Amino acid sequence: LTLAVKLPTPLPATFAPNATRFLLAWWSLACLGLTFTGPFTTLGNGHLSTWGALFASVAAALPYSGHLARAVDRFVRLAKGDFGLLLLLCIGSAVVALQAFCSYVHSRSGVDAWALAVGLVSAAGCGGLLSQPGLAAQQARIVSLATAGWWTQGLVITFLPHDFTRTVNGFLAVWTCILLSLVLLNSTAGD
């Protein structure tokens, strides 16, 4: 018996751009929902796969989205030097705040509220400095001392066993902010 296989007609030209936009939106929402609130808050295949799918969807959408390609290009250009460290610290602080908020809603723990405050204050401070790059450059040593001092609280937070510190996003974001603040401090050591 011979089975006849009918090959599909070519897909419309708009299929790939629309499909990649859909996947980017889908995996962005999935990361927010699945890795910040559950069920993939701890390290495992689900957590890594969800974040991997988000990064893969960004890579797939780049050739079809001029806005996304320009945003990624601008981010890469800005993420250099002390300004870049401050930008990454701002993003890390926002992740800390978001995960702490999600944890706080679930547990109503004082540690989660503390982590939320640390993340919000840091994100707001970094955001304010990023909007005034001249001020940040003028006061680079003071800014680096302040961020390193501020994120020493993060070190304490990571040793307290609560919902926030049990999540991969929260734990890694706090350690990322601690390390970025120390790198920023080191980069201004000669100033």
Side-chain angles (χ1 to χ4, degrees):
L1 270 175
T2 308
L3 296 174
V5 177
K6 182 179 177 188
L7 294 175
T9 58
L11 295 171
T14 58
F15 178 78
N18 290 335
T20 59
R21 284 186 200 108
F22 169 77
L23 289 171
L24 180 59
W26 177 266
W27 286 111
S28 296
L29 292 173
C31 268
L32 285 173
L34 298 174
T35 69
F36 282 92
T37 61
F40 304 134
T41 58
T42 58
L43 188 59
N45 291 337
H47 186 87
L48 296 175
S49 297
T50 304
W51 279 102
L54 175 63
F55 290 124
S57 66
V58 168
L62 282 173
Y64 301 106
S65 174
H67 295 299
L68 181 61
R70 284 189 295 280
V72 169
D73 183 57
R74 185 164 188 251
F75 177 80
V76 169
R77 278 186 285 114
L78 289 175
K80 294 180 180 162
D82 292 347
F83 186 85
L85 290 171
L86 208 52
L87 176 63
L88 293 172
L89 186 58
C90 186
I91 293 168
S93 300
V95 171
V96 167
L98 177 59
Q99 184 61 65
F101 175 76
C102 293
S103 297
Y104 179 76
V105 166
H106 179 263
S107 71
R108 301 284 189 223
S109 158
V111 173
D112 296 334
W114 182 24
L116 174 61
V118 169
L120 285 176
V121 169
S122 180
C126 290
L129 287 168
L130 288 169
S131 68
Q132 300 289 325
L135 176 64
Q138 270 181 340
Q139 303 298 327
R141 187 64 179 162
I142 294 169
V143 168
S144 67
L145 285 167
T147 58
W150 185 254
W151 278 103
T152 56
Q153 298 178 75
L155 187 61
V156 174
I157 291 170
T158 62
F159 286 99
L160 299 174
H162 286 279
D163 282 354
F164 174 76
T165 53
R166 289 184 192 106
T167 64
V168 176
N169 292 341
F171 188 78
L172 289 180
V174 167
W175 275 105
T176 298
C177 290
I178 291 168
L179 294 175
L180 284 170
S181 69
L182 293 175
V183 170
L184 185 62
L185 180 64
N186 185 54
S187 73
T188 61
D191 294 345

